C-alpha cells in the first residue's frame, strides 16, 4: 500500500522534511507516482505513532487524564529525539565538510611550502653568484705585484661659495 508523504508524516509523527531528507539520502525510496510504500516507512521509522497510540489505548481499560498526558509526553519526547537525531546528522555532515576543507588547505600549504623552498634555493644561488662576482671584482681591483703604484696626486680645486645680496 502506498501513501502520500503528508499522510506518512502524520502517521509516523515525523516532519515531511525528514522524509524528504531520508529519500534524498537514499535511506527511503518512493514510487514513480511520488508516494511511499508503507513497508518502506516501517523499515525506516518502525511502527507508526498512530498505531502505537491505538495499541496503548486498547491495552488500557480506562483512558485517564494521566495516561493521556503520558502519551502526549512520550510523543513529545519521540519528536525531540527525532529532532536531535537530525541535528546530529547535520552536525556530522558539517564536521565532515570541515575536515575536507582542512585537508584541502593542508595540501595548498604543502604546495606553497614547496614553491617557497624553490624560491629560497634560487635566491641562495643568485646570492652566491653575486658574491663570487663581487669577490672577483675586488680581486681585480687590488694592485698586482708586477704593477707599479702611481703616486701622483690630482689637485682638488675648491669652489668658493658666492653669496648674492639683493
Amino acid at each position: 500500500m502506498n501513501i502520500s508523504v503528508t499522510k506518512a508524516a502524520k502517521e509516523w509523527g515525523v516532519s515531511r522534511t525528514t522524509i524528504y531528507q531520508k529519500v534524498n539520502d537514499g535511506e527511503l525510496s518512493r514510487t514513480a507516482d511520488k508516494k511511499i510504500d508503507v513497508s518502506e516507512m516501517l523499515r525506516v521509522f518502525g511502527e507508526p505513532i498512530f498505531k502505537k497510540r491505538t495499541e496503548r489505548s486498547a491495552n488500557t481499560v480506562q483512558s485517564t487524564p494521566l495516561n493521556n498526558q503520558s502519551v502526549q509526553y512520550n510523543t513529545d519526547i519521540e519528536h525531540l529525539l527525532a529532532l536531535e537525531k537530525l541535528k546530529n546528522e547535520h552536525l556530522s555532515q558539517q564536521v565532515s565538510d570541515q575536515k575536507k576543507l582542512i585537508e584541502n588547505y593542508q595540501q595548498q600549504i604543502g604546495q606553497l611550502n614547496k614553491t617557497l623552498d624553490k624560491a629560497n634555493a634560487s635566491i641562495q644561488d643568485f646570492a652566491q653568484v653575486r658574491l663570487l662576482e663581487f669577490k672577483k671584482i675586488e680581486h681585480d681591483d687590488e694592485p698586482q705585484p708586477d704593477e707599479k703604484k702611481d703616486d701622483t696626486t690630482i689637485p682638488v680645486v675648491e669652489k668658493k661659495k658666492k653669496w648674492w645680496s639683493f
Side-chain angles (χ1 to χ4, degrees), residues 16-156:
R16 291 182 333 160
T17 305
T18 302
I19 293 174
Y20 286 122
Q21 284 178 339
K22 298 283 185 188
V23 169
N24 289 338
D25 293 343
E27 294 177 42
L28 185 67
S29 61
R30 292 196 309 178
T31 60
D33 61 348
K34 307 291 183 188
K35 297 206 177 205
I36 299 176
D37 193 319
V38 173
S39 62
E40 278 290 291
M41 288 298 292
L42 289 170
R43 180 182 61 81
V44 175
F45 295 104
E47 290 293 322
I49 290 176
F50 179 74
K51 185 175 181 181
K52 288 178 187 175
R53 285 185 192 161
T54 306
E55 287 174 358
R56 285 183 193 146
S57 297
N59 290 338
T60 57
V61 177
Q62 290 182 329
S63 179
T64 63
L66 186 59
N67 286 343
N68 287 339
Q69 287 175 352
S70 296
V71 170
Q72 183 61 40
Y73 177 76
N74 287 341
T75 304
D76 291 344
I77 295 295
E78 288 173 356
H79 286 159
L80 288 174
L81 180 61
L83 180 65
E84 291 302 319
K85 284 181 181 178
L86 284 175
K87 285 181 185 177
N88 190 20
E89 289 174 13
H90 178 70
L91 290 174
S92 295
Q93 183 62 41
Q94 284 183 328
V95 167
S96 175
D97 292 345
Q98 292 301 317
K99 284 181 180 178
K100 288 177 186 175
L101 272 175
I102 288 170
E103 288 175 13
N104 187 15
Y105 289 147
Q106 287 173 338
Q107 288 176 350
Q108 289 178 359
I109 288 170
Q111 290 172 347
L112 289 172
N113 280 334
K114 287 179 185 177
T115 304
L116 184 61
D117 289 343
K118 288 179 183 177
N120 283 336
S122 296
I123 290 170
Q124 282 183 335
D125 291 346
F126 178 74
Q128 287 177 350
V129 168
R130 293 296 291 166
L131 182 62
L132 289 173
E133 288 174 355
F134 180 72
K135 285 184 178 180
K136 183 178 178 191
I137 291 172
E138 252 186 14
H139 183 65
D140 289 347
D141 286 347
E142 290 179 1
Q144 299 297 327
D146 296 343
E147 291 180 11
K148 292 182 182 176
K149 266 191 166 176
D150 187 11
D151 290 338
T152 57
T153 57
I154 300 172
V156 177

